[in-house]
Amino acid sequence: QSALTQPASVSGSPGQSITISCIGSSSDVGANDYVSWFQQHPGKAPKLILYDVSHRPSGVSFRFSGSKSGNTASLTISGLQAEDEADYFCCPFITGNTWVFGGGTKLTVL
Amino acid sequence: EVQLLESEGGLVQPGGSLRLSCAASGFTFSNYAMTWVRQAAGKGLEWVSAISGNGDTTIYADSVKGRFTISRDNSKNTLYLQMNSLRAEDTAVYYCAKDQYNWNSIMDVWGKGTTVTVSS
C-alpha cells in the first residue's frame, strides 16, 4: 500500500489562493497522469473535482485547478470562498489497477 | 440525474456477515464499472473493491481480499458487497460509486453512504 503525504490543514482568506500538495512516489503519483482530487464537506459524500491531473468534471468551478510534477500533485483553489471549506483528498491510480487516497487536507477559510 | 442509494448498514458482531446493496438510477448501469470506498469515523478514504460493467472482472484491496465479495445484477441495476468475517477495523461508512468508464477509471458519482459497525 502506497503512502501519500498531504498537509493536515491549510487555510486562507476569502479571495486568496491556496495550494494543497500530494506527495507520493514513482508507484503512484509519478506513475501516470491519472491523479484525481475529491472535495468532502462534513457529513457528506466525496465529490470529484479534478481527474487526470487537471481536468474538471462538468459543473465544477474553474477556480479549481490541478498540476503534477514528478511524484507531487497539486490542487490550487483560487478566489477562495466560504463554501470551499472542506476536506480535500488526492487519489492517484496505482500499479495493481487500484486507487489509493491521500490522508486528506482540511481547508479552513478564515 | 445519476443517483446511487446504498442499503441500510447496521451493527454486526465480529466474525459476522453483512451484505450491502446499492441501487443505481439515471444511467445505463451495465456500461460502467462500480466501486466501493469506505471511511472510518474521522479518518480518510479507503478504496475497497471494484467491478467491471459486465461483472466479469473484480479487484479488491488487500485489507478485504478473501473476506469481501463484490457483485452486481445488471437486470436490477444493483451493486452488492458481501462482507464476511467482519472485524472491528471494518467499521466505517461505506460508499458506492459509479466509475467514469467501464473499467480502470475514477469514481465520478457517489452515493450518500451507509454505516457499518462491527462490535460485540
Side-chain angles (χ1 to χ4, degrees):
Chain A
Q1 188 77 359
S2 66
L4 301 169
T5 301
Q6 294 183 234
S9 64
V10 298
S11 63
S13 299
Q16 288 186 330
S17 294
I18 63 95
T19 296
I20 298 172
S21 60
C22 173
I23 303 171
S25 69
S26 57
S27 297
D28 41 64
V29 175
N32 51 60
D33 286 336
Y34 300 128
V35 180
S36 301
W37 289 88
F38 292 90
Q39 176 193 61
Q40 186 179 34
H41 288 105
K44 300 295 186 181
K47 174 188 175 183
L48 180 67
I49 56 172
L50 290 173
Y51 65 95
D52 296 352
V53 176
S54 60
H55 291 79
R56 285 184 303 275
S58 174
V60 173
S61 172
F62 67 91
R63 299 184 298 104
F64 294 91
S65 61
S67 63
K68 195 191 86 163
S69 178
N71 297 335
T72 300
S74 299
L75 164 68
T76 297
I77 308 174
S78 59
L80 270 180
Q81 299 180 1
E83 67 207 49
D84 299 331
E85 186 162 294
D87 292 328
Y88 292 85
F89 297 89
C90 65
C91 183
F93 188 65
I94 65 173
T95 53
N97 293 335
T98 63
W99 300 87
V100 65
F101 292 91
T105 298
K106 181 177 179 60
L107 168 62
T108 300
V109 180
L110 302 171
Chain B
E1 179 191 5
V2 174
Q3 290 193 330
L4 300 169
L5 183 60
E6 297 94 343
S7 59
E8 196 168 325
L11 174 63
V12 185
Q13 290 192 337
S17 297
L18 186 66
R19 188 177 82 158
L20 302 180
S21 62
C22 171
S25 62
F27 64 104
T28 305
F29 185 64
S30 59
N31 285 354
Y32 297 91
M34 297 291 293
T35 296
W36 289 98
V37 176
R38 67 185 181 184
Q39 185 173 34
K43 302 295 185 182
L45 299 165
E46 180 185 14
W47 179 92
V48 173
S49 182
I51 186 168
S52 62
N54 62 9
D56 285 353
T57 305
T58 59
I59 193 164
Y60 300 91
D62 288 343
S63 58
V64 306
K65 198 172 295 182
R67 300 188 299 121
F68 289 13
T69 301
I70 191 172
S71 63
R72 64 193 296 160
D73 185 336
N74 286 346
S75 69
K76 296 181 178 179
N77 289 349
T78 302
L79 174 72
Y80 302 100
L81 185 67
Q82 177 67 44
M83 304 184 293
N84 298 331
S85 303
L86 283 162
R87 307 166 179 167
E89 53 265 36
D90 295 319
T91 295
V93 174
Y94 284 73
Y95 297 98
C96 74
K98 166 191 165 292
D99 289 12
Q100 264 190 335
Y101 310 118
N102 188 27
W103 188 241
N104 280 355
S105 59
I106 195 64
M107 302 72 75
D108 62 354
V109 180
W110 295 54
K112 295 184 186 299
T114 188
T115 300
V116 173
T117 303
V118 183
S119 174
S120 55

